[in-house]
Amino acid sequence: HETDGEGDDAELVPDSLALEAVDDYTLEMTLETPFHGTIGLLTDPRFSAIPEGIVGDIEGYEGEMSYEEWSTEHVHGTGPYALSTWERGSEIVVERFDDYHGSTANIPTIRWQITEDPNAQYTRAVNEQNADIFQLPRSQFDPSLLEIEEDLGDGRRRGTYGPVTNDETLNYGEATLLRTQYLLFHTLQVEKPARQAIAHLINQETIADTATRGQGEPAYFLTPPSAFPGGPENYNAVAESDYPYGYGQSNIDQAAQIMEEAGYSESDPYEVTFQHPSDEQGSEWGEVASLLLNLAESAHIEIEIEEIPSTTLTNRAIEGDIEIMGTWNELGWQEADATLQYAYPNPFTWTRWGQGDGDFSDPAQQAVDAWEQYENHRTPGEENQQVRNESYVELERANWADMTQLPLWHPIGEEYWYDWVENFEMYGSQYSYQFNELSLGDRS
């Protein structure tokens, strides 16, 4: 592509992207440099190709409608359904597209109801005339009602849930998502002994059982299991054998010893602030904060808790106005570099890892070297993949050593459905649904 201007003021020149419509059904893209994750990245709906001449918001380009009108009323795509109506905060309705290039959908209309109130959401779900496939609010989830019956592989499982208040037992599906919830430390403001002590205090198994009520998987790496080199099986094996802060346990004595060696005591504790979102997953973060607050006192760490709207918290992180931050990252493609691009010393990381005036730590240098090795092998191919995999694990180990980002849990996506919903298949880690093979049987 071409740009007009220099530095941060440079703007994309319209029509300069190396994209060409070869024919009515083929779009050709030329990359500036090879990148193994291109196809995965292009599965993001934001990169969908649409017919020429539709959206006209770009200066100097003619289009039939504004982006706002297109995205809320029309939305061109290639799927088995077409958008009918979208009422923000209320519902989305799609209608069957009879000229779909694949198998035409069995169900003529799909309606997604949007309900923010947890009680109303639960009531609508268990009233069998109001929902076929649905999610249950976390506040209503009872782990004792869940029975897993089948491991579908790639982090997907299937089972039953119930009986619920209408005496029905629901079908249940779950998938571990490409997402990691973690504590982010501002390394110039939070001392390394405190970061390591907090890592010893945290038991990821406890967080998965309590903060997420069993609706999360314990996290020991920043990379989610399905994107980890070797997949979920290798993820668990390496974590269990090598995680240096206690796999599935909390070690208060070790945490206290680290802080005492750093000069802190019961009468002179280390003081730090933990800031977490008050809105996005606020209840889960509140549970984590309470757990950490109770444990930290025994390790001579005094923690102040601040609950902040997520947008405000993000702005503070950008400005460096944080100490410990509760946050998350979701991968844009299914490989570890999608998250580890934020986990090595560089000018853009919110951890400020390696940006101080002191010595560059050995783990920080290890991370930089690993990332440089990765960048030299971004081209597709088995040999390049092997080198990248080695770099990813080195980056994860370097993060463990300096503890700049502490993994807590990987969220689970869940769906529930009644027996009359036939041929429903639980989505995978990237939320991909297929509804055209779905059918509805007898509700009686």
Side-chain angles (χ1 to χ4, degrees):
H1 66 276
E2 299 174 10
T3 56
D4 183 15
E6 297 180 358
D8 294 337
D9 296 327
E11 295 184 359
L12 173 70
V13 175
D15 294 328
S16 71
L17 284 173
L19 297 169
E20 180 183 357
V22 178
D23 54 45
D24 287 348
Y25 301 101
T26 308
L27 180 66
E28 182 177 278
M29 170 187 292
T30 304
L31 301 182
E32 199 168 290
T33 58
F35 178 54
H36 70 89
T38 300
I39 300 300
L41 184 60
L42 290 176
T43 63
D44 188 318
R46 291 173 294 181
F47 297 114
S48 298
I50 63 171
E52 184 178 12
I54 299 296
V55 183
D57 283 1
I58 298 175
E59 184 177 351
Y61 184 80
E62 295 292 330
E64 295 181 14
M65 63 193 75
S66 68
Y67 175 81
E68 178 69 17
E69 180 182 351
W70 173 78
S71 64
T72 58
E73 299 179 26
H74 298 282
V75 186
H76 295 73
T78 59
Y81 287 90
L83 179 67
S84 175
T85 59
W86 176 13
E87 297 181 19
R88 289 181 183 270
S90 178
E91 69 175 13
I92 300 172
V93 180
V94 295
E95 301 286 350
R96 178 169 54 204
F97 180 52
D98 291 330
D99 292 330
Y100 179 56
H101 61 84
S103 59
T104 303
N106 297 317
I107 298 173
T109 304
I110 297 178
R111 182 186 308 272
W112 282 275
Q113 296 287 151
I114 302 169
T115 308
E116 294 185 3
D117 179 74
N119 293 325
Q121 185 181 358
Y122 182 80
T123 300
R124 177 180 292 275
V126 299
N127 182 334
E128 300 170 27
Q129 303 303 314
N130 285 337
D132 300 297
I133 305 169
F134 47 89
Q135 298 171 352
L136 294 181
R138 184 151 295 168
S139 59
Q140 301 279 7
F141 180 77
D142 183 351
S144 67
L145 300 181
L146 176 62
E147 182 176 348
I148 298 298
E149 299 173 347
E150 184 179 6
D151 189 332
L152 303 174
D154 296 325
R156 297 189 305 152
R157 302 196 301 172
R158 179 170 175 162
T160 58
Y161 182 86
V164 292
T165 53
N166 63 1
D167 294 326
E168 289 281 350
T169 295
L170 309 172
N171 295 292
Y172 170 87
E174 71 176 30
T176 303
L177 304 179
L178 288 175
R179 181 168 175 168
T180 305
Q181 311 281 142
Y182 58 96
L183 297 184
L184 184 145
F185 298 96
H186 190 309
T187 58
L188 303 185
Q189 298 191 36
V190 183
E191 296 178 10
K192 182 174 178 178
R195 306 196 303 263
Q196 293 178 319
I198 289 172
H200 277 293
L201 293 174
I202 288 294
N203 181 346
Q204 285 88 342
E205 302 275 352
T206 300
I207 288 176
D209 290 339
T210 58
T212 73
R213 303 185 69 176
Q215 296 178 299
E217 292 289 337
Y220 297 95
F221 297 99
L222 297 170
T223 306
S226 59
F228 192 79
E233 184 176 343
N234 193 46
Y235 177 107
N236 294 327
V238 177
E240 187 170 1
S241 64
D242 296 353
Y243 185 65
Y245 299 100
Y247 182 84
Q249 63 183 16
S250 176
N251 195 329
I252 297 176
D253 292 340
Q254 182 65 33
Q257 180 180 335
I258 290 173
M259 296 307 293
E260 288 165 7
E261 291 174 354
Y264 297 97
S265 64
E266 183 177 355
S267 59
D268 183 22
Y270 182 80
E271 297 179 359
V272 69
T273 301
F274 173 34
Q275 299 160 307
H276 70 80
S278 58
D279 44 8
E280 294 183 2
Q281 295 182 298
S283 61
E284 288 94 327
W285 284 118
E287 293 281 352
V288 172
S290 297
L291 178 66
L292 187 55
L293 194 66
N294 293 333
L295 293 170
E297 185 177 356
S298 300
H300 317 313
I301 301 175
E302 186 176 297
I303 298 180
E304 180 182 350
I305 307 296
E306 287 187 15
E307 298 183 33
I308 305 169
S310 54
T311 53
T312 303
L313 186 54
T314 297
N315 290 332
R316 289 193 182 184
I318 293 172
E319 297 297 325
D321 187 20
I322 58 166
E323 290 183 350
I324 305 174
M325 172 185 176
T327 188
W328 58 274
N329 185 50
E330 188 162 35
L331 278 61
W333 59 93
Q334 196 164 333
E335 190 162 317
D337 52 341
T339 188
L340 295 180
Q341 61 181 315
Y342 308 110
Y344 74 100
N346 67 82
F348 309 105
T349 178
W350 293 349
T351 65
R352 271 59 177 183
W353 193 13
Q355 295 182 23
D357 296 329
D359 295 333
F360 207 60
S361 71
D362 290 341
Q365 187 61 56
Q366 174 187 344
V368 170
D369 293 343
W371 189 255
E372 182 177 340
Q373 179 174 261
Y374 154 81
E375 289 190 317
N376 292 330
H377 295 83
R378 292 175 48 156
T379 303
E382 187 174 337
E383 291 185 7
N384 286 315
Q385 181 71 72
Q386 181 60 39
V387 173
R388 291 200 303 273
N389 287 346
E390 294 171 0
S391 299
Y392 300 150
V393 176
E394 282 294 299
L395 277 164
E396 295 278 9
R397 293 184 185 279
N399 175 63
W400 280 352
D402 267 0
M403 189 40 67
T404 71
Q405 300 178 54
L406 174 58
L408 299 179
W409 79 93
H410 302 295
I412 288 174
E414 299 170 313
E415 294 293 339
Y416 303 80
W417 64 98
Y418 288 103
D419 283 339
W420 62 72
V421 180
E422 301 172 353
N423 298 324
F424 177 75
E425 183 177 355
M426 183 62 192
Y427 59 74
S429 59
Q430 293 181 288
Y431 307 98
S432 297
Y433 279 111
Q434 288 189 330
F435 285 153
N436 49 320
E437 301 295 338
L438 213 62
S439 59
L440 298 180
D442 186 1
R443 289 174 180 255
S444 60

